[in-house]
Amino acid sequence: MSEETKSLNFIEHIIEEDLANGLPKDKLRFRFPPEPNGYLHIGHTKAIGISFGLGEKYNAPVNLRFDDTNPSKEEQEYVDAIKRDIAWLGYQWENELYSSDYFDKLYEWAVQLIKDGKAYVDSQTSEAMAEQKGTPTQPGTNSPYRDRSVEENLDLFQRMKAGEFPAGTHVLRAKIDMEDPNMLMRDPIMYRIMYAHHHRTGDEWCIYPMYDWTHGESDYIEQISHSLCSLEFKPHRKLYDWFKDNVYEYAKDKLPLPPKQREFARLNLSYTIMSKRKLLKLVEEKVVSGWDDPRMPTISGLRRRGYTPNSIREFIKKVGVAKRENVIDVSLLEFCVREDLNKTANRVMAVLNPVKVVITNYPEDKEEWLEAENNQEDASAGYRKVPFSREIYIEKEDFKEEAGSKFFRLKLGGEVRLKNAYIIKANDVIKDKNGDITEIHCTYDTDTSKKVKGTLHWVSIKHAITAEIREYDRLFMHEAPDSDKDKDFMEFLNPNSLNVKIGYLEPSLSEAKVGERFQFQRLGYFVVDEDSTSDKLVFNKTVGLRDSWAKQKPKPQTTMQAKPKPQQQKRSAISVIQQLGKKYTNYPEDKQTKVKAEIIDLAKEVSYDELEPLFATAVKKAGTRIAVMIALKELLKNGLERNEAINEFISKALEDKNDILVAEASEV
């Protein structure tokens, strides 16, 4: 088996198998089918990436189809936002389509099912139908209207369409099996009466098809070869196939290709809500400023916060395609945007919590324009000029009157380097009546070759421009805010998710445009917000330079009972695996066997996100890499899908000089 074949995810394996079994490659066709009842969020990016990624891989068309069958919740605003977000991510669709395009055809097929005795009009209340539905362990019972004649069903259905009945009086149901173990097969509803204005068809229809009836038949009409959806639709596959198989008999001459539904694990992200209904609640109750609030997990919100299309696509690539549900740590998403912006964002200086520094031996009327590199990661970014003068701002936390030897910033009697400028020494401070420092008096040294440990960013007070700075934090304080059945997810809102302050910026930023991203040196990455005007700049904080959330997590509370010895916190499984790996190659064979068994057992508690960073372990640390390989084998056995990083790690191991590592890698 080639490396290329081994690196395929399970969906690609299915497609390759279908092609090998005779499906012509030019018949491959995919779709992304959002319902326009809200904005797309980060969870949707996985489905977008899979469908459009397959289109790119196989040079196959991908339709953007809006499943617009519920006019009471759908709006044109959402249609426009979805199109804008997908285009921003860098994907192109072949056709823009709507389920409402097929209302006539769906009605025609529903009539045919009635004629064939496979659908009937039910006139019970929704409560009565729910009671008859049964339970997963108890079969349902037939509706008293199930045996209506074809003629009566056709008459009632036509009159439903004509608007003769109030909403809720009749529904059209498929006649399948009320005793089927899959409750979705127990005579599902196909049409309901709904008097609502549709954003495309207006008031033309007053009966609307249900999702399960519409979705599969829309796939069939469009001749989608592979209908890909998330795992919650797996129980729906049996019904998807029942509708498809019956309609196929009506249209197989014109529509020869029946679609195939396959499911993948959806994207779940820690500290994040993925329910559009709950996101809408945040908007409606004005917890956030709108769907594009930078704290929202919507693509619009991420874009406004400063995320890049490339960072989101890279995140989706790292997450991979899996068959089992799991929760991805939001820090991986933050890592991806941090990595991308590190390469592309120009460095600038801004002070957000200022204290005044007066350089007493610098002439009062003098100013200099010093050269500063824009981005050391990008040689083509060039240089800019920054002004320097007698009075500057630095961050308050960068100064202490007295500090220990490990404080490498400015302290009385100590020296630091000013980025792109001189070395200064703190000599004195001036305080207000409350004892707070208002000025730090320093002297500067033009000998910049001196060795000093600290380097500070700064801005010249005389030249600084001001801007509104919006510092965003995670919207929820709980890792899984909607997982507690006894609490409303709103109880976990972070009261400090937004902090607005005034910042002092170097003057080069006066011409910054909406959407431009910068690294504020030593502070993080920021983007110019759309609220900016010619008179007032507004910056949103995208992400810090490093993950600081772990430090903020509250420590578990402990009881005050006296203990003879403080109990040590249990080490994480990945930490223990690393420790076991350090001496692995020094152990005798029998000890290695025992340690290997322990690593295999610990691997059950390890996630791929914890393991992947260890792929980069130095070559000389063979024991650690052996331990990682043993753990990786267990994750792969338990359903982890291969990806490029895994294949590269295994490939390098197979070429290693250590025989034990090669042996472990060859078993993967």
Side-chain angles (χ1 to χ4, degrees), residues 284-535:
E284 290 179 336
E285 296 191 10
K286 301 191 184 305
V287 173
V288 294
S289 61
W291 283 98
D292 67 344
D293 186 296
R295 291 166 291 180
M296 290 281 273
T298 56
I299 298 175
S300 295
L302 291 168
R303 177 170 60 244
R304 190 170 177 185
R305 183 144 174 183
Y307 277 74
T308 61
N310 187 58
S311 66
I312 294 175
R313 290 178 70 147
E314 185 63 25
F315 170 68
I316 295 305
K317 189 189 298 183
K318 286 184 180 294
V319 168
V321 182
K323 295 181 182 179
R324 296 190 306 169
E325 295 284 3
N326 60 350
V327 178
I328 305 299
D329 196 319
V330 69
S331 62
L332 178 62
L333 176 62
E334 293 166 348
F335 168 82
C336 289
V337 72
R338 201 179 283 118
E339 285 287 290
D340 191 44
L341 292 176
N342 182 52
K343 299 170 190 169
T344 59
N346 281 351
R347 279 56 168 162
V348 294
M349 292 194 289
V351 175
L352 306 186
N353 187 22
V355 62
K356 184 177 180 179
V357 171
V358 179
I359 304 171
T360 55
N361 63 336
Y362 194 90
E364 290 190 27
D365 57 350
K366 182 179 178 182
E367 64 179 52
E368 296 176 81
W369 288 79
L370 307 173
E371 194 170 72
E373 189 176 14
N374 285 326
N375 186 350
Q376 62 268 32
E377 300 290 327
D378 179 6
S380 66
Y383 293 80
R384 70 189 186 285
K385 295 288 188 181
V386 291
F388 185 80
S389 63
R390 176 184 170 90
E391 296 182 347
I392 62 172
Y393 283 137
I394 65 169
E395 301 285 351
K396 276 184 182 175
E397 55 267 31
D398 281 343
F399 175 76
K400 286 184 179 179
E401 284 187 83
E402 297 180 8
S405 59
K406 292 187 178 179
F407 184 77
F408 298 129
R409 287 169 275 179
L410 188 61
K411 56 189 174 185
L412 279 181
E415 291 182 313
V416 294
R417 187 183 306 278
L418 296 176
K419 183 73 175 174
N420 306 309
Y422 303 109
I423 291 171
I424 60 170
K425 180 179 181 179
N427 304 307
D428 197 8
V429 295
I430 294 178
K431 300 181 181 181
D432 61 17
K433 61 183 179 181
N434 298 319
D436 296 324
I437 295 171
T438 57
E439 289 184 14
I440 306 165
H441 286 190
C442 298
T443 50
Y444 85 112
D445 191 337
T446 57
D447 180 11
T448 57
S449 64
K450 288 168 58 174
K451 288 186 177 180
V452 292
K453 288 189 175 179
T455 300
L456 307 184
H457 64 278
W458 54 274
V459 293
S460 166
I461 294 176
K462 150 182 199 183
H463 302 90
I465 61 171
T466 59
E468 180 179 308
I469 308 294
R470 299 172 181 173
E471 292 185 325
Y472 293 100
D473 206 340
R474 295 176 187 174
L475 189 56
F476 294 97
M477 301 184 72
H478 194 285
E479 192 169 6
D482 57 352
S483 64
D484 193 325
K485 295 179 181 178
D486 299 323
K487 290 187 177 181
D488 187 340
F489 75 99
M490 300 282 271
E491 293 182 44
F492 299 115
L493 284 166
N494 179 3
N496 301 312
S497 62
L498 172 60
N499 180 27
V500 180
K501 57 176 67 171
I502 297 298
Y504 297 86
L505 286 54
E506 65 173 72
S508 69
L509 288 167
S510 61
E511 300 299 320
K513 302 292 189 295
V514 171
E516 276 194 273
R517 305 173 183 91
F518 299 90
Q519 183 196 103
F520 288 4
Q521 290 183 312
R522 301 178 64 237
L523 298 176
Y525 294 98
F526 292 76
V527 64
V528 184
D529 187 72
E530 61 189 38
D531 287 344
S532 294
T533 65
S534 56
D535 300 322

Side-chain angles (χ1 to χ4, degrees), residues 548-601:
S548 59
W549 183 258
K551 297 177 183 177
Q552 301 173 24
K553 287 182 182 177
K555 295 179 181 177
Q557 293 182 345
T558 56
T559 58
M560 298 302 292
Q561 294 174 347
K563 294 181 181 179
K565 247 186 176 181
Q567 191 174 6
Q568 286 190 334
Q569 189 177 5
K570 183 182 176 184
R571 291 175 62 191
S572 66
I574 192 66
S575 176
V576 178
I577 288 173
Q578 282 181 271
Q579 188 65 37
L580 291 171
K582 284 181 181 179
K583 298 182 180 179
Y584 192 90
T585 54
N586 298 329
Y587 295 140
E589 192 172 337
D590 59 336
K591 176 75 170 176
Q592 284 182 356
T593 303
K594 290 180 182 178
V595 171
K596 181 174 179 178
E598 193 174 347
I599 293 171
I600 289 171
D601 191 51

